[in-house]
Amino acid sequence: MEFLTTSEAADYLRLGERKLYELVTTGAIPCTKVTGKWLFPRHELDLWVLSGLARPAGMLIAEPPPVVGGSQDELLDWSLRESGSGLGSMSEGSARGLERLQRNEVMAAAVHFHALDAEGSLAGDASIEALRAAPDLHDAVLVAFVRREQGLVLPPGNPKHLHGLSDVLALGARMAMRQQGTGAQMLLDVLLKRADASTRDLRRVETPALTGPDLAELVRAGQADCGIATRAAARSAGLDFVPLVWESFDLAMRQRSYFRPAMQALLRLLGDRRLRQRAEELTGYDPSPAGQIRFAA
């Protein structure tokens, strides 16, 4: 994969660097942060440009590109490589991934939606409901990838003694945020609502993190006291972790994409012991439901 620096990406897209930084801070462009520097995958920039291509009403791309959009996940990234599927990734959050799936701009979307049910508890099938409500996805299928642990990512030693959102609110801890439409931000919103609070009650770090690892880096660098991400992201960054929930992390796709060779290569890995071993190494994963069909339209 070829990466471009900020200046190279600005030249490639024929944008000013200031405008490029605006797109980065709003989570509107694919990028990643490595040792404090923003890098831009050239291939995903091409896909990003194509995603905004104006088309006549009703016109869809005949075949979606071999890309998994939606949420970022370390085990999924490893699986895409290990399976030999040839599938790329475009990490923009669950809601954006589902939108791209509807427009045939990705072959699948990794999703973990969150909502409250009528009793005020976390809804167990929020991702299924999101798929049911999505227009133009009458042929959708939702395949379980794993269950994974989400919680508070904290500096080593948990110096502020944060053991839940109630402590974050009471102590005014600086909380790193994710961009709207990501599963982690949805989770934070519903947990706050359940506590009769909202993001306005938090001492927020203004610039949203684009991925869980980016959020963990903010905490590791001392720019935030906490944030919500996976146990795997916390462990990878050498940070402490307070568990909040186990969630379903799934792959949404059209039924015809399910049978494509690239997707079948990825799905075959879901039943392989290598996935279970890697999940155990990363920690915070339950691969037992991997490959199960959770919903089919």
Side-chain angles (χ1 to χ4, degrees), residues 4-254:
L4 303 179
T5 64
T6 301
S7 60
E8 290 170 340
D11 289 342
Y12 185 60
L13 296 171
R14 299 184 182 181
L15 296 173
E17 288 192 32
R18 178 177 293 181
K19 180 60 178 178
L20 188 64
Y21 276 119
E22 289 177 8
L23 294 169
V24 168
T25 56
T26 57
I29 191 168
C31 57
T32 185
K33 201 171 191 180
V34 179
T35 63
K37 295 181 180 180
W38 290 108
L39 295 177
F40 302 82
R42 184 193 291 268
H43 173 65
E44 297 203 6
L45 289 180
D46 292 339
L47 293 172
W48 178 73
V49 171
L50 288 173
S51 72
L53 187 67
R55 299 183 182 92
M59 179 181 175
L60 292 176
I61 302 170
E63 288 294 336
V67 172
V68 176
S71 181
Q72 185 274 339
D73 179 78
E74 291 182 74
L75 184 59
L76 176 60
D77 291 342
W78 174 87
S79 299
L80 293 175
R81 298 190 302 269
E82 187 70 15
S83 65
S85 65
L87 292 166
S89 64
M90 183 185 291
S91 301
E92 301 176 299
S94 295
R96 189 70 181 273
L98 193 58
E99 291 169 4
R100 287 194 183 276
L101 182 65
Q102 292 175 70
R103 297 194 298 265
N104 271 13
E105 293 170 358
V106 294
M107 185 174 287
V111 297
H112 58 120
F113 285 89
H114 290 281
L116 294 178
D117 61 22
E119 287 73 38
S121 301
L122 279 172
D125 290 325
S127 293
I128 293 176
E129 293 308 313
L131 229 61
R132 283 183 172 143
D136 303 321
L137 279 182
H138 58 278
D139 58 343
V141 60
L142 191 68
V143 181
F145 184 67
V146 289
R147 295 181 70 249
R148 63 181 193 174
E149 206 171 11
Q150 290 267 22
L152 290 177
V153 176
L154 306 162
N158 191 5
K160 289 189 176 294
H161 306 289
L162 304 175
H163 302 290
L165 276 179
S166 59
D167 293 335
V168 175
L169 290 162
L171 298 174
R174 295 170 302 163
M175 189 158 199
M177 309 294 285
R178 296 288 308 282
Q179 68 269 34
Q180 289 299 317
T182 60
Q185 190 61 34
M186 293 179 209
L187 175 60
L188 175 59
D189 288 342
V190 299
L191 291 178
L192 286 169
K193 185 176 181 180
R194 199 166 63 175
D196 293 322
S198 73
T199 54
R200 292 189 297 273
D201 299 308
L202 294 171
R203 185 182 170 197
R204 293 168 288 173
V205 175
E206 288 303 319
T207 303
L210 301 182
T211 66
D214 287 336
L215 183 145
E217 177 59 28
L218 289 176
V219 175
R220 194 183 69 82
Q223 298 177 37
D225 298 316
C226 61
I228 287 185
T230 63
R231 181 183 288 275
R235 183 179 183 274
S236 179
L239 300 174
D240 277 17
F241 182 80
V242 171
L244 295 176
V245 299
W246 280 90
E247 65 176 8
S248 294
F249 187 72
D250 305 311
L251 297 173
M253 66 195 75
R254 294 182 183 275

